[in-house]
């Protein structure tokens, strides 16, 4: 079975893929100090709790936190007896090479989202991912990543607002009952929610205008469903897009003899 690992700035997700479906998905906080042994104790305890007899024999990793990769490599070698495929490394083949400025290093998460979105929806896409940063990835008609936009993430913006203004509290991200808030919390929630609805709508429309072709807008990440309540922002929401992209890249490397 395949263990797909997506390590983001905030959370790390482990999903077990049996070739046709994900048996389970587990989530933990991203901490570069966590050792391979700690990962394995956490992982094995939870899959036992889920009643899954998972014989992992191959691993693929996407990580935006380079310092975490070493211990994930050790985890793969020590406990699953395999050398992991790491997206973004030279030995990891991509179904379609990105077309960006020479010398530009594209984030592994964006490459994985591109592969997953193209596999499910074809080309001419904008993938909007609500993570620590809010990213917009443009996928060409042939499946290549051709650029995008990076904006501050929703929770990052809230933390910055609270840190810079001592009188403003921490608030949850939620859709407010009205645009005009009648108390501090409601005002902040309205600013964040409707501000990001406007951000997504405005940027995706500018991308469409510049690209000059009809484009589908794909939403992913934990907050995509929430912001879809505010307007018709997305053609489709994909909760497991990143994990699906990892299985696509793994299959491509297997088919081409890279693993």
């Amino acid at each position: 079975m395949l263990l797909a690992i997506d390590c983001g700035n905030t959370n790390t997700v482990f999903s077990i893929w049996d070739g046709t479906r994900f048996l389970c998905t587990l989530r933990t906080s991203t901490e570069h100090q966590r050792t391979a042994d700690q990962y394995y104790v956490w992982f094995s305890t939870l899959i036992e709790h889920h009643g899954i007899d998972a014989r992992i024999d191959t691993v693929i990793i996407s990580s935006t936190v380079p310092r975490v990769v070493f211990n994930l490599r050790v985890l793969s070698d020590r406990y699953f007896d395999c050398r992991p495929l790491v997206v973004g490394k030279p030995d990891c083949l991509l179904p379609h090479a990105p077309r960006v400025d020479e010398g530009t290093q594209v984030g592994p998460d964006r490459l994985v989202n591109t592969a997953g979105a193209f596999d499910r929806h074809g080309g001419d896409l904008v993938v909007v991912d609500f993570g620590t940063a809010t990213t917009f990835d443009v996928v060409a008609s042939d499946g290549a990543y051709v650029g995008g936009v990076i904006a501050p993430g929703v929770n990052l913006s809230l933390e910055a607002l609270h840190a810079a203004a001592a009188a403003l509290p921490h608030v949850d991200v939620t859709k407010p009952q009205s645009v005009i808030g009648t108390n501090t919390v409601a005002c902040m929630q309205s600013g964040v929610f409707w501000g990001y609805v406007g951000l997504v709508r405005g940027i995706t429309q500018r991308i469409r205008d510049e690209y000059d072709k009809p484009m589908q807008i794909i939403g992913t990440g934990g907050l995509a469903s929430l912001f879809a309540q505010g307007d018709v922002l997305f053609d489709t929401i994909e909760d497991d897009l990143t994990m699906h992209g990892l299985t696509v890249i793994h299959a491509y490397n297997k088919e081409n003899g890279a693993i």
Side-chain angles (χ1 to χ4, degrees), residues 11 25 42-44 77 83 97 119 121 127 167 174 177-178 189 191 197 207 211 213 217 227 254:
N11 293 313
T25 296
W42 167 82
F43 177 75
S44 59
D77 178 64
R83 181 172 180 269
D119 183 69
H121 302 284
V127 180
T174 187
Q177 294 182 344
S178 61
Q189 289 175 332
V197 168
I207 290 173
Y211 197 74
K213 283 185 182 179
I217 311 298
F227 284 100
K254 189 173 183 179

Side-chain angles (χ1 to χ4, degrees), residues 154-174 182-192:
V154 179
N155 287 312
L156 192 63
S157 295
L158 278 172
E159 289 172 12
L161 189 61
H162 171 72
L168 297 181
H170 282 294
V171 298
D172 294 330
V173 184
T174 187
T182 54
N183 56 68
T184 301
V185 170
C187 289
M188 293 176 66
Q189 289 175 332
S190 182
V192 170

Side-chain angles (χ1 to χ4, degrees), residues 110 126-130 134-138 145 147-151 196 199-204 207 217:
R110 309 183 83 176
V126 180
V127 180
V128 185
D129 189 353
F130 291 88
T134 301
T135 59
F136 300 74
D137 302 326
V138 180
Y145 170 86
V149 175
I150 300 175
Y196 271 86
L199 174 87
V200 172
R201 185 172 57 228
I203 289 179
T204 53
I207 290 173
I217 311 298

Side-chain angles (χ1 to χ4, degrees), residues 3-258:
L3 176 60
I5 304 175
D6 172 38
C7 177
N9 290 294
T10 304
N11 293 313
T12 299
V13 180
F14 289 62
S15 288
I16 301 172
W17 174 255
D18 70 356
T20 58
R21 65 190 179 96
F22 289 111
L23 299 182
C24 73
T25 296
L26 310 172
R27 185 180 300 268
T28 185
S29 58
T30 298
E31 297 176 5
H32 72 270
Q33 303 97 331
R34 184 170 290 154
T35 66
D37 299 332
Q38 289 174 316
Y39 275 119
Y40 184 72
V41 170
W42 167 82
F43 177 75
S44 59
T45 301
L46 284 179
I47 62 171
E48 182 179 349
H49 172 77
H50 283 280
I52 296 172
D53 182 16
R55 293 177 175 82
I56 306 298
D57 55 14
T58 183
V59 177
I60 184 169
I61 301 168
S62 168
S63 178
T64 58
V65 186
R67 288 192 294 175
V68 174
V69 175
F70 174 78
N71 283 322
L72 292 176
R73 284 184 181 274
V74 175
L75 170 72
S76 302
D77 178 64
R78 181 178 298 167
Y79 291 104
F80 305 126
D81 194 27
C82 67
R83 181 172 180 269
L85 191 65
V86 180
V87 178
K89 298 299 182 183
D91 59 344
C92 179
L93 305 178
L94 297 173
H96 304 90
R99 293 196 294 274
V100 293
D101 293 344
E102 186 176 353
T104 299
Q105 186 173 0
V106 181
D109 53 333
R110 309 183 83 176
L111 297 174
V112 171
N113 282 347
T114 295
F118 182 73
D119 183 69
R120 285 182 170 170
H121 302 284
D124 297 328
L125 309 172
V126 180
V127 180
V128 185
D129 189 353
F130 291 88
T132 304
T134 301
T135 59
F136 300 74
D137 302 326
V138 180
V139 185
S141 57
D142 62 353
Y145 170 86
V146 293
V149 175
I150 300 175
V154 179
N155 287 312
L156 192 63
S157 295
L158 278 172
E159 289 172 12
L161 189 61
H162 171 72
L168 297 181
H170 282 294
V171 298
D172 294 330
V173 184
T174 187
K175 181 183 179 181
Q177 294 182 344
S178 61
V179 176
I180 302 173
T182 54
N183 56 68
T184 301
V185 170
C187 289
M188 293 176 66
Q189 289 175 332
S190 182
V192 170
F193 182 84
W194 292 111
Y196 271 86
V197 168
L199 174 87
V200 172
R201 185 172 57 228
I203 289 179
T204 53
Q205 185 57 56
R206 286 180 177 274
I207 290 173
R208 279 172 161 160
D209 292 344
E210 189 171 299
Y211 197 74
D212 199 26
K213 283 185 182 179
M215 304 183 79
Q216 292 186 73
I217 311 298
I218 312 299
T220 191
L223 294 175
S225 297
L226 171 65
F227 284 100
Q229 298 175 23
D231 209 339
V232 183
L233 296 176
F234 312 113
D235 294 290
T236 306
I237 293 176
E238 298 278 6
D239 294 329
D240 65 343
L241 184 64
T242 302
M243 306 317 291
H244 176 67
L246 284 170
T247 68
V248 170
I249 293 174
H250 178 268
Y252 182 78
N253 279 265
K254 189 173 183 179
E255 290 167 4
N256 288 274

